[in-house]
Amino acid sequence: MKDSVMTSEAEKAETPPVGGDDRRSFIARFSGWWMGWGLVSGYGYFASMIVRFLYPSSQSENKNKSWQFVAEVNSFKQGDSLTFISPAGDKAVITRMGMKGSEADFIALSSVCPHLGCQVHWESSNNRYFCPCHGGAFDPKGKPTAGPPKAAGQSLPHFTLKVENELLYIKAGTRSLV
Amino acid sequence: MGVIGNWFKERLPLSGVDLAELTNEPVPNHMRRWWWCLGGTPAYLFVVQIVTGILLAMYYQPSPETAFESIGRITNEVSFGWYIRSVHKWAATLMIAAVVLHQMRIYFTAAYRKPREINWMIGMCLLLCTLLLGFTGYSLVFEQLSYWGVTVASNICDTVPVVGSTIKQMLLGGEAYNENTIPRFFILHAAVLPTLMVMLIGLHIAILRLQGISELQFEDEPEAGPKHFDFFPDHLYTELIVGLVLMILLSVLATLYPAGMGTHADPLTTPEHIKPEWFFYPSFLWLKWFPGTFAVLSSGFIVFVMFVWPFIDAMICKITKRDDIYVWIGIAGVFMLVGMTVWEALH
């Protein structure tokens, strides 16, 4: 056994490496790369499983929009407003601006500030919606008038409304059960 | 005693002399001055946070239904609960202040320069971890500030191009604040960030020991004579005294200004007056001044510049052939941060 090792050592010393690399170092390098690839792909797949575990499943966030009843049209006087919260958590402030009896009388604005998501509230003394977090302000139609939303041109999002048989409906998010 | 000593010596082949040699390092003379011991202060406060945090976790229940009530119970019913919670809160405040002061001392003495660039960057990671611990900490109370703070922070993530939305969803465990959110923040606050900090502090101190503390020569110090003193026991005594003074200070603050309870979180109403904790005043003001994406990306850029500052400073020195420009930049930066904090506090 010892002799054969010595022989191979002697042979190696006599034979110069071809192309600067011999078979043994090639196998060592190849197996090193192969093992490295195995480690990276194995732990990489494990990491991707962790990310997918932490990422909320799309099923629980399944959100569709549908028409939802708000109130009887006649229960609103001009200038009246109410806050509507849909089953999916959409928050809207609905205000009556006219008395024609159609959806054009109403405006439904999201009460979520488009800057960083705080709740705006109506300031009747200043005739504006105001966000207390970073001082954003919006006119009664939701257009930005001050603060970061004005600089970025971010209006309060509108919801679509319709009137049927003197009943007011809003198109807002629902959460499906399946 | 001899029998017990021998029993240990047979199993742990380490004598007291060996231990003293291992832990000892020559400490530069400038560290005899109290204001130059700021590195040990946040480390001591971190230990206080771990101890009080473990105690608070015995009673805290991380869910939207129970979080606020469980903190109310800790504050009002559990024996010395008010004290442990208040010490935790005040130690967090002091820790952030101490980390900032320590970083300022390193900056203004240019101790980040070659070969200490890597330790500066580890220090920056520790600063960010400390701020994140502060933020995730007050998010757990589930009072109004907690809820709206998390909402704003997650929407800040959302403004980051490409990956922002994914980060927001991972942070909240959904599209908006939901039942998964508090457990995630609790895990970040009580497990992930402290573990990361322990590892980073270990690395910070190991590199410090390998390189030695940067040395300063004061004008009133004699040129001749020893330049160093022993870590053990001289500097250890200093740190023990600092720790004792901090405990007294924490107890006084906790007693005079105990941690209170705000209003329970209300997802439908953002309070008329809402502000983050004082250490986020500059970024709060920045967000008021500039529109969303620009404010967030520019803040990220400032943090990046701070992170790689040792290399930028080296370039400035090379180009201008002056090595004191960093002082003026530092003074401007400190004035800006302090000015923004005071401005926001007064408005």
Side-chain angles (χ1 to χ4, degrees), chain B residues 12-335:
Chain B
L12 298 168
L14 198 69
S15 70
V17 179
D18 293 336
L19 202 62
E21 269 178 21
L22 272 176
T23 54
N24 225 343
E25 65 169 317
V27 182
N29 269 345
H30 74 264
M31 298 273 287
R32 285 190 192 279
R33 291 158 199 257
W34 291 103
W35 279 108
W36 300 91
C37 302
L38 284 166
T41 308
Y44 180 83
L45 290 166
F46 182 61
V47 175
V48 172
Q49 291 303 71
I50 287 180
V51 173
T52 51
I54 288 170
L55 292 170
L56 291 171
M58 304 263 177
Y59 289 97
Y60 179 67
Q61 294 170 22
S63 85
E65 293 81 23
T66 54
F68 190 78
E69 285 71 21
S70 66
I71 288 176
R73 207 173 135 229
I74 290 169
T75 313
N76 300 317
E77 291 174 29
V78 177
S79 300
F80 291 111
W82 67 271
Y83 176 77
I84 301 293
R85 185 175 162 228
S86 302
V87 166
H88 195 72
K89 190 185 171 184
W90 278 110
T93 299
L94 294 187
M95 188 173 157
I96 289 165
V99 168
V100 172
L101 287 174
H102 172 57
Q103 193 182 20
M104 279 168 66
R105 122 88 173 111
I106 299 298
Y107 182 89
F108 283 109
T109 55
Y112 55 79
R113 283 184 176 163
K114 191 184 172 186
R116 296 186 173 82
E117 299 97 325
I118 293 172
N119 230 10
W120 166 269
M121 291 195 281
I122 292 168
M124 272 300 295
C125 293
L126 282 165
L127 171 73
L128 295 178
C129 280
T130 310
L131 291 172
L132 281 174
L133 274 169
F135 172 68
T136 51
Y138 76 75
S139 302
L140 298 178
V141 185
F142 206 62
E143 55 188 16
Q144 280 283 57
L145 181 60
S146 319
Y147 182 88
W148 293 107
V150 170
T151 302
V152 167
S154 62
N155 285 314
I156 286 174
C157 295
D158 204 13
T159 59
V160 176
V162 188
V163 291
S165 171
T166 309
I167 295 172
K168 178 188 171 182
Q169 296 227 13
M170 299 271 273
L171 198 62
L172 295 179
E175 282 179 6
Y177 203 107
N178 64 82
E179 67 279 3
N180 296 328
T181 309
I182 284 196
R184 290 194 180 207
F185 273 75
F186 182 58
I187 297 295
L188 279 174
H189 183 75
V192 178
L193 290 169
T195 309
L196 195 61
M197 273 198 85
V198 167
M199 292 194 291
L200 287 169
I201 291 170
L203 205 57
H204 203 56
I205 294 172
I207 294 175
L208 178 84
R209 294 291 299 264
L210 284 170
Q211 292 175 330
I213 299 169
S214 60
E215 296 181 20
L216 301 163
Q217 178 73 42
F218 286 86
E219 283 175 5
D220 58 346
E221 279 176 7
E223 284 286 330
K227 301 267 183 204
H228 302 95
F229 63 98
D230 285 343
F231 177 86
F232 186 85
D234 298 27
H235 191 64
L236 192 67
Y237 285 155
T238 310
E239 292 294 343
L240 284 176
I241 294 166
V242 169
L244 192 65
V245 170
L246 282 170
M247 276 321 286
I248 294 167
L249 183 64
L250 285 172
S251 296
V252 169
L253 288 168
T255 311
L256 294 179
Y257 306 101
M261 301 283 292
T263 315
H264 193 285
D266 176 6
L268 296 179
T269 315
T270 306
E272 185 69 34
H273 301 288
I274 187 162
K275 278 183 185 185
E277 288 286 348
W278 65 272
F279 42 89
F280 287 124
Y281 280 179
S283 31
F284 183 61
L285 203 56
W286 198 256
L287 284 166
K288 280 187 190 175
W289 284 348
F290 302 107
T293 306
F294 176 79
V296 174
L297 293 182
S298 57
S299 304
F301 180 72
I302 292 168
V303 172
F304 174 75
V305 167
M306 287 170 74
F307 208 84
V308 295
W309 176 254
F311 306 104
I312 296 174
D313 179 52
M315 275 198 297
I316 292 172
C317 290
K318 204 173 169 185
I319 293 164
T320 62
K321 312 268 187 245
R322 284 181 62 178
D323 70 347
D324 61 345
I325 289 178
Y326 78 98
V327 177
W328 302 107
I329 294 172
I331 289 171
V334 170
F335 265 103

Side-chain angles (χ1 to χ4, degrees), chain A residues 2-174:
Chain A
K2 206 173 178 180
D3 287 342
S4 67
V5 170
M6 284 180 74
T7 315
S8 71
E9 287 290 331
E11 279 172 5
K12 207 168 88 178
E14 284 166 14
T15 322
V18 181
D21 210 349
D22 62 8
R23 191 187 303 157
R24 187 173 295 184
S25 71
F26 170 76
I27 291 169
R29 196 180 295 175
F30 181 76
S31 56
W33 279 109
W34 191 245
M35 197 163 76
W37 181 82
L39 284 169
V40 168
S41 56
Y43 284 116
Y45 189 65
F46 182 53
S48 81
M49 285 163 81
I50 291 173
V51 171
R52 282 163 67 187
F53 176 82
L54 288 173
Y55 195 80
S57 63
S58 56
Q59 196 113 72
S60 65
E61 298 302 332
N62 192 2
K63 205 167 143 181
N64 300 309
K65 285 198 169 182
S66 66
W67 287 108
Q68 291 163 49
F69 171 69
V70 178
E72 288 179 30
V73 169
N74 293 334
S75 64
F76 275 87
K77 287 189 292 224
Q78 190 164 347
D80 278 358
S81 69
L82 67 76
T83 304
F84 177 86
I85 303 158
S86 81
D90 294 338
K91 293 159 198 157
V93 180
I94 304 168
T95 311
R96 184 157 195 177
M97 316 283 277
M99 290 303 284
K100 285 180 198 160
S102 70
E103 57 265 19
D105 290 351
F106 296 89
I107 184 165
L109 297 171
S110 166
S111 61
V112 179
C113 180
H115 178 222
L116 290 171
C118 294
Q119 284 286 302
V120 299
H121 63 260
W122 176 249
E123 282 184 347
S124 51
S125 56
N126 295 318
N127 199 34
R128 65 175 188 175
Y129 291 99
F130 183 70
C131 177
C133 279
H134 303 96
F138 307 86
D139 72 8
K141 291 193 172 175
K143 288 205 173 116
T145 55
K150 192 188 178 195
Q154 296 168 308
S155 300
L156 288 174
H158 284 243
F159 286 90
T160 314
L161 296 166
K162 75 173 178 182
V163 171
E164 269 182 20
N165 301 325
E166 300 196 338
L167 301 175
L168 181 66
Y169 293 87
I170 186 171
K171 197 163 196 181
T174 48

